[in-house]
Amino acid sequence: MSDWVEACAAGDIDEEDVMRFDHGGRTFAIYRSPEDEYFATDGLCTHEKVHLADGLVMDDIIECPKHNGRFNYKTGDARGAPVCVNLKTYPVKVDAGKVLIQVG
Amino acid sequence: MIIGAGECGGRAALALRDLGFEGPVTLVGDEPHLPYERPPLSKEAMTGEAPAIKTITTDALLAERSIRHIHSVRAAAIDRAAHAVRLSDGSSLSYDKLLLATGSVPRKLPMPGLGGRCVYLRTFNDALAIRAHLSAGNRVAILGGGFIGLELAASARKLGATVTVIEAQPRILMRGVPAEIAEIIHKAHEAEGVKVLTGQGITAIADDGPQVGITLGDGQEVVADLAVIGIGAVPVTALAAAAGLAIDNGIAVDATLRTADPDVFAAGDCCSFPLAVYGGRRVRLEAWRNAQEQGALAARNMLGANEAHAAVPWFWSDQYGLTLQIAGLSDEGRAIVRRDLDDGAFILFHLAEDGRLVAASGIGPGNAVARDIRLAEMLIARRAMPAPEALGSQAVKLKSLLAA
């Protein structure tokens, strides 16, 4: 399972921000933390299938744009109502200025 | 013990367990359902193939967490001296702390002539009944151009019904929505084929046959197969009033959601409370997020946290592909600064006389305004006074203003 996929250039995402990435009929959210690390999760909120990439990143939290469901994007943990199902996370690496995710 | 098994009561019950409370928790509701989300009732639940209820918990989870849910039963009376509540089935339950999360009910149209084809939307069962009448070719009249009415109008159009919205005020969404945004929503409805009649009072309703006839102020008659009345909601306070608790546009509570009785709390649509962010102005909010937040806050305070409500009001509405989001109360503002975003979306920032940001109203396709409205909400909570030029320029990131 070494299916690494190039998602974007490292500079495409601002620090403490998020970007949508679609691949193979699936949608993902790629994050850049305030500490300049990259993370990836499923792209849709587990509450009502809303694209998380339209949401706000604060520290290590992504907040759903629709109903403010919060997740830790580093671990995928749901952080309280209305979300109770965790987000799936994916391994990420940066190689030669490109962000790669292992979509598995 | 919690009276009212909606969003607020349901969240409060779950929160009590999240907080580690190990005593008995009883949730009493007059509907036959588990606690469920009401926002979809005018939207997805209405347009889906088979209307589905979106519960916020399951019987199994309630059992696992030892939450007793008594459904289809009303609370008939509170005996505060005895710390007991009598239920409509004749039984009686005692409590140490009581939370009233009785919600609100649709405001009744005070007119003669209303029969079975004039209905209201509040519960899932109401939604099912309305859904049965929304089909291609059917005519639906919506009385009231507020959120419920307009969301329902959009859903009815999606199902192919012919829709007329009748609003007595000079424009739709008079309460709480700036005219500039209401106009966009008005035009979206017209573009989708809804007939929107504003400034039209209703002089008579004839609802005694297979259809309903509505006579308007200017004499024209609207004939429909179903009339849905959406003219606001009123808090459910009779139980509290009968128990001698103060009512002030809702069950009056302090910033910790406590009534004058230290063992009785109220939260959600049914209560009025001082809103700290506007200097303690007493408000009552009919909003999903408020119900959720106050349910959780009441749970903390029933366990002794003594924490004051500090949130900024926030709500949203979806109609067709448009989403509206408002943070804060725009009537606190004296000046407006507009910020244009991509795809025709924009946000209006409402500033008080002293320059403080007091509200932000945004509209656009999908979730185009969500992030900036959320940031505005944080600025409002901090009582920030951002420079109007910065708010108005898309080049200036709102997040950078938070750091200032």
Side-chain angles (χ1 to χ4, degrees):
Chain A
M1 294 257 292
S2 60
D3 39 357
W4 289 92
V5 180
E6 184 183 323
C8 59
D12 288 347
I13 314 176
D14 288 341
E15 277 187 19
E16 203 179 39
D17 209 345
V18 58
M19 202 176 97
R20 175 175 163 181
F21 170 60
D22 293 342
H23 176 78
R26 295 155 68 189
T27 185
F28 303 89
I30 318 276
Y31 310 83
R32 184 171 171 187
S33 75
E35 298 79 30
D36 200 20
E37 306 155 305
Y38 292 80
F39 298 88
T41 68
D42 269 335
L44 300 178
C45 180
T46 58
H47 175 234
E48 280 193 358
K49 307 286 172 219
V50 169
H51 281 285
L52 290 169
D54 288 326
L56 180 67
V57 177
M58 294 292 270
D59 298 325
D60 51 7
I61 298 295
I62 173 71
E63 193 176 82
C64 175
K66 198 87 217 173
H67 307 128
N68 312 103
R70 294 178 181 118
F71 302 91
N72 180 323
Y73 59 81
K74 298 180 177 178
T75 62
D77 289 343
R79 289 298 182 86
V83 295
C84 46
V85 178
N86 293 345
L87 269 181
K88 187 165 164 41
T89 59
Y90 300 89
V92 178
K93 65 182 179 187
V94 180
D95 188 14
K98 303 287 184 193
V99 180
L100 303 156
I101 81 167
Q102 192 172 29
V103 295
Chain B
M1 174 170 180
I2 301 165
I3 300 177
E7 181 78 38
C8 185
R11 292 292 177 197
L14 294 166
L16 284 170
R17 291 295 183 227
D18 288 343
L19 293 163
F21 177 66
E22 290 178 350
V25 174
T26 305
L27 184 60
V28 178
D30 58 4
E31 291 186 59
H33 311 291
L34 284 164
Y36 61 92
E37 298 189 4
R38 293 190 200 280
L41 297 183
S42 48
K43 313 180 188 86
E44 303 88 3
M46 205 45 89
T47 53
E49 281 291 309
I53 193 163
K54 193 166 170 56
T55 57
I56 64 173
T57 185
T58 60
D59 281 315
L61 187 68
L62 290 180
E64 180 195 315
R65 312 202 74 182
S66 301
I67 294 168
R68 182 176 173 206
H69 176 219
I70 302 177
H71 62 81
S72 311
V73 167
R74 270 182 318 102
I78 303 168
D79 182 341
R80 293 198 283 127
H83 279 64
V85 176
R86 186 163 50 78
L87 303 182
S88 58
D89 63 4
S91 65
S92 188
L93 292 170
S94 63
Y95 66 83
D96 294 314
K97 301 284 181 195
L98 178 67
L99 173 61
L100 301 172
T102 46
S104 57
V105 290
R107 186 185 300 282
K108 299 284 181 203
L109 184 65
M111 282 194 79
L114 274 64
R117 287 183 176 264
C118 292
V119 299
Y120 299 86
L121 174 57
R122 174 68 186 174
T123 65
F124 181 68
N125 290 357
D126 292 342
L128 284 181
I130 292 171
R131 177 68 179 81
H133 283 93
L134 300 185
S135 53
N138 261 16
R139 297 159 301 176
V140 181
I142 309 273
L143 279 50
F147 286 112
I148 297 242
L150 293 168
E151 289 175 1
L152 204 51
S155 298
R157 279 304 299 148
K158 213 177 250 180
L159 295 166
T162 302
V163 182
T164 306
V165 173
I166 302 160
E167 169 58 57
Q169 299 286 333
R171 67 164 171 91
I172 59 167
L173 300 172
M174 271 301 266
R175 204 176 58 131
V177 178
E180 216 172 324
I181 288 178
E183 192 186 327
I184 299 217
I185 295 174
H186 187 129
K187 284 185 175 150
H189 278 277
E190 288 185 337
E192 297 283 345
V194 175
K195 196 167 174 187
V196 184
L197 305 172
T198 52
Q200 287 285 358
I202 294 164
T203 55
I205 291 184
D207 177 15
D208 51 8
Q211 57 190 30
V212 50
I214 302 154
T215 310
L216 305 184
D218 67 357
Q220 68 172 301
E221 195 185 24
V222 175
V223 177
D225 301 296
L226 184 74
V228 185
I229 301 165
I231 54 170
V234 290
V236 177
T237 59
L239 183 71
L245 296 166
I247 308 298
D248 179 3
N249 177 35
I251 302 165
V253 293
D254 66 14
T256 67
L257 306 181
R258 193 190 294 257
T259 65
D261 181 329
D263 293 328
V264 182
F265 295 74
D269 286 21
C270 70
C271 80
S272 73
F273 64 100
L275 195 53
V277 71
Y278 303 124
R281 169 181 168 186
R282 182 162 286 275
V283 297
R284 191 174 65 78
L285 300 175
E286 295 160 359
W288 175 79
R289 194 165 100 187
N290 179 63
Q292 206 176 90
E293 286 172 349
Q294 288 197 336
L297 177 62
R300 294 198 291 278
N301 287 340
M302 283 194 287
L303 300 182
N306 202 29
E307 180 184 332
H309 178 276
V312 173
W314 175 90
F315 73 91
W316 91 96
S317 176
D318 300 326
Q319 293 164 44
Y320 311 108
L322 289 173
T323 291
L324 161 105
Q325 287 197 4
I326 297 183
L329 300 178
S330 59
D331 65 356
E332 291 274 334
R334 295 293 170 269
I336 287 180
V337 175
R338 177 174 166 139
R339 179 188 186 94
D340 284 297
L341 307 175
D342 296 337
D343 304 322
F346 66 90
I347 291 179
L348 302 178
F349 292 100
H350 307 266
L351 302 172
E353 209 131 356
D354 61 0
R356 187 158 77 91
L357 179 65
V358 287
S361 319
I363 189 160
N367 291 309
V369 301
R371 197 184 301 206
D372 280 352
I373 289 288
R374 181 71 180 106
L375 288 162
E377 184 193 328
M378 295 181 197
L379 289 166
I380 295 165
R382 290 181 188 197
R383 295 154 167 79
M385 293 186 177
E389 312 77 63
L391 291 175
S393 164
Q394 199 185 346
V396 179
K397 289 199 165 194
L398 287 186
K399 214 178 209 175
S400 69
L401 302 179
L402 263 182

